[in-house]
Amino acid sequence: MKLFDTHCHLDAQYFPGGPTEVLDRAKTAGIRAFMVVGVGATLEPARAAVALASSRGDVVAAVGAHPHDAVTLDEAGERELRELGARDAVAAIGEIGLDYHYDHSPREVQRSVFARLVRLARELGKPIVVHTREAADDTLAILDGEGAREVGGIIHCFSEDEKFARRALELGFDLSFSGIVTFKNARSVAAVAASAPVDRIHVETDSPYLAPVPLRGKPCEPAYVVHTARRVAELRKTTIEELAPILWANAERRLRRAFA
Ligand SMILES: [Zn+2]
Ligand SMILES: [Zn+2]
């Protein structure tokens, strides 16, 4: 069995020992491919994710500007993102989107940066990784209005309801489930994980956050995605052994990559 962690952050601030030991532990647990997301208040995490993905055959990068950091993206940053995003090692543009829960950046700045980076993804012909929190309608309106359907992508760390899921799927976006799906109170997320089309779902850790049950509360790392995959399989009344090859194929198809 092999699994794909479609969304993890391995920045040095989270894993001071460096990414190699974290990825080695994950490999031992059967996680064979990773999308490392490089976002932050500077482009340093994006550069690091691209460097890591360029040096390993089992890692691809996503680069973007998280809605928290939208206010920090200046013209020079956007130029560098375009240059980084064009690299072969970069499989997706993200995570980008809207976060009205924390409002770390003003909402109108979040919307403007999100729209511009959807256009960048279309220009580069790469799928989009979307972060959305308490901003469902605006997120879907921008994806629709900016023609995101042309490249499609992934709604990462899915935490919305069935109505949102339907609209996202129609716009060409897959749904990626994090440790949240293992939490007892996440009923609507579990319902979507149980019923979404099997060829449109993924699993991720979003390391270092949101460790799945039974590791909830610990710092999360890619090795733990196995617990999330097992829970999704259980919700779908199948086994992780049956589901894993489908999830693997879904990630390869969506990210237009093939991994060993
Ligand atoms: Zn996110
Ligand atoms: Zn993330």
Side-chain angles (χ1 to χ4, degrees), residues 56-146:
R56 300 178 59 118
D58 55 356
V59 172
V60 289
V63 298
H66 194 286
H68 292 342
D69 307 311
V71 77
T72 67
L73 188 69
D74 57 13
E75 246 175 72
E78 213 168 309
R79 264 199 309 278
E80 187 177 349
L81 264 188
R82 172 173 286 105
E83 190 266 314
L84 288 169
R87 309 264 188 101
D88 271 352
V90 173
I93 299 303
E95 53 187 289
I96 62 175
L98 302 174
D99 193 314
Y100 293 174
H101 180 75
Y102 288 108
D103 282 327
H104 287 328
S105 287
R107 292 181 181 183
E108 64 277 11
V109 176
Q110 293 188 41
R111 288 191 289 265
S112 159
V113 166
F114 182 29
R116 293 208 303 276
L117 296 182
V118 169
R119 276 176 244 145
L120 173 65
R122 288 181 56 195
E123 187 186 309
L124 297 173
K126 296 199 177 175
I128 299 164
V129 177
V130 175
H131 171 109
T132 181
R133 188 154 181 203
E134 293 173 27
D137 289 338
D138 283 1
T139 297
L140 292 165
I142 288 172
L143 289 174
D144 195 12
E146 297 295 335

Side-chain angles (χ1 to χ4, degrees), residues 135-160:
D137 289 338
D138 283 1
T139 297
L140 292 165
I142 288 172
L143 289 174
D144 195 12
E146 297 295 335
R149 194 184 265 106
E150 185 182 299
V151 286
I154 297 173
I155 307 293
H156 110 88
C157 195
F158 185 84
S159 51
E160 301 291 330

Side-chain angles (χ1 to χ4, degrees), residues 20 25 48 66 74 98 104 114 124 164 172 174 178 196 242 248 260:
T20 306
R25 278 198 295 276
H66 194 286
D74 57 13
L98 302 174
H104 287 328
F114 182 29
L124 297 173
F164 182 97
D174 298 347
S178 68
E242 294 272 342
W248 183 270

Side-chain angles (χ1 to χ4, degrees), residues 38-51:
V39 292
T42 69
L43 287 185
E44 198 41 47
R47 294 181 202 120
V50 172

